[in-house]
Amino acid sequence: MSTNYPTRAQRHRGLFQQFSPLNLAPAWEQYSVVKARGVRTIALGGHTPYSASGWVVEQAVGCIELIGAKVAGLGQMLLIGFTLSEQPASAGFEVTATDAIGTLILPAHCFAAYVAIAAGQNTHFRIGGNGQLNAIGSDPSSLQAPSPV
């Protein structure tokens, strides 16, 4: 049973119900699927690092920034970097005072495929948890996080 709905006494029915606000904020320890409202892409030479908001991609050949709508006062975004480095950094997720930010760093040869998905009309992204399941897709149903075993 959901703890989001308070229990009400029998005398509080109809117009006499007590107002109880619902908590509609995502549970970030789980994963949230977000519709991309904006997409920014940059192609780079792979000779120098690229950094944005304290996030650094070594030997960057490109980066994609997917931006979702604000939820519970937080902007939602997924930053995807593409690198020539042999040891890409692991994926991550963090909640700051203003944003919920997921990150991925992938090999350079994946850049064109991810740009094609990001440029679509119905692009969605998944962020949350420890970031290991951050992803993008053209259909939100394909991004539903697998349930733990």
Side-chain angles (χ1 to χ4, degrees):
M1 175 146 199
S2 175
T3 60
N4 203 19
Y5 296 99
T7 57
R8 293 189 170 103
Q10 285 291 341
R11 68 179 186 264
H12 295 134
R13 290 191 208 161
L15 296 175
F16 299 106
Q17 287 187 37
Q18 293 176 337
F19 174 73
S20 300
L22 296 176
N23 180 7
L24 299 176
W28 291 116
E29 59 277 355
Q30 305 300 316
Y31 283 84
S32 292
V33 176
V34 180
K35 177 155 179 52
R37 304 275 185 221
V39 178
R40 297 192 309 179
T41 306
I42 184 170
L44 302 162
H47 303 291
T48 60
Y50 173 80
S51 68
S53 304
W55 175 67
V56 178
V57 180
E58 298 295 332
Q59 294 181 296
V61 296
C63 291
I64 300 171
E65 180 182 278
L66 298 164
I67 303 162
K70 284 196 173 213
V71 172
L74 295 176
Q76 301 173 94
M77 69 176 69
L78 177 61
L79 304 173
I80 308 170
F82 300 88
T83 181
L84 292 173
S85 173
E86 296 291 324
Q87 300 276 329
S90 63
F93 176 76
E94 78 172 301
V95 177
T96 67
T98 57
D99 296 306
I101 305 169
T103 59
L104 284 172
I105 299 179
L106 302 169
H109 67 270
C110 298
F111 186 44
Y114 276 74
V115 168
I117 295 169
Q121 292 281 336
N122 197 34
T123 302
H124 285 71
F125 59 94
R126 177 176 61 207
I127 56 174
N130 63 3
Q132 297 302 310
L133 296 178
N134 291 344
I136 68 171
S138 61
D139 179 42
S141 65
S142 64
L143 293 173
Q144 296 306 315
S147 57
V149 178

